[in-house]
Amino acid sequence: LSRIFGKRPYEREALRPLWHSVVAMARAKGWYASLGVADSKEGRFDMVSLVLAAVLLRMEREPEMAQSQALLTELFVEDMDGQLRQDGIGDPTVGKHVRKLVTTLGGRLGALREALPGGTDALVPVLERNVTVLPGTDLSALAQAVSALASKIDGVASDDLLAGRIAFEPA
């Protein structure tokens, strides 16, 4: 029946705590106050998509989490849709904007997938292209924090990850 009627809503709702953890980690003050990420709509979106990409990469390594990846991405889409509508973007164009944001997420996911194994030196150019920062920001410090974030997420047990029992505060 689930093939006929789609995914059961409670499966997606079970991941809402993880989505809230992603957003909380992305909104951590350290990214903005200490590490130079611009505290703007663009900078906040950059951090949400970066943290989400790190979580999706962690989930990617466990095939049994494939459906959870899709459901978590749906929560991202739902949230972005709501944010766009709150900003006054109307029905005729909201879909176009959401597609662009999902494409951006996909690009960041791919860039992070390639850069993380190379350490902070490989992360610097990725962050330079994908994160809105203040002039004069030390991208190597930001890269170290992103690397620490990915390590933290990688070290979380699967059950804890899916339940959103993860926290990270950049230095």
Side-chain angles (χ1 to χ4, degrees), residues 69-144:
Q69 281 182 286
L71 295 171
L72 185 60
T73 303
E74 285 180 18
L75 289 171
F76 166 78
V77 169
E78 178 184 279
D79 196 334
M80 293 303 109
D81 181 273
Q83 293 294 321
L84 289 167
R85 290 177 190 280
Q86 200 171 39
D87 288 347
I89 306 294
D91 281 336
T93 59
V94 76
K96 178 180 169 183
H97 287 329
V98 169
R99 278 190 296 281
K100 182 179 177 186
L101 296 176
V102 170
T103 300
T104 299
L105 172 64
R108 290 179 184 171
L109 183 63
L112 202 58
R113 182 184 295 116
E114 289 180 20
L116 278 171
T120 57
D121 289 342
L123 278 170
V124 168
V126 168
L127 298 175
E128 188 174 40
R129 288 188 313 270
N130 293 294
V131 179
T132 306
V133 296
L134 301 173
T137 294
D138 179 5
L139 290 175
S140 61
L142 182 58
Q144 288 173 347

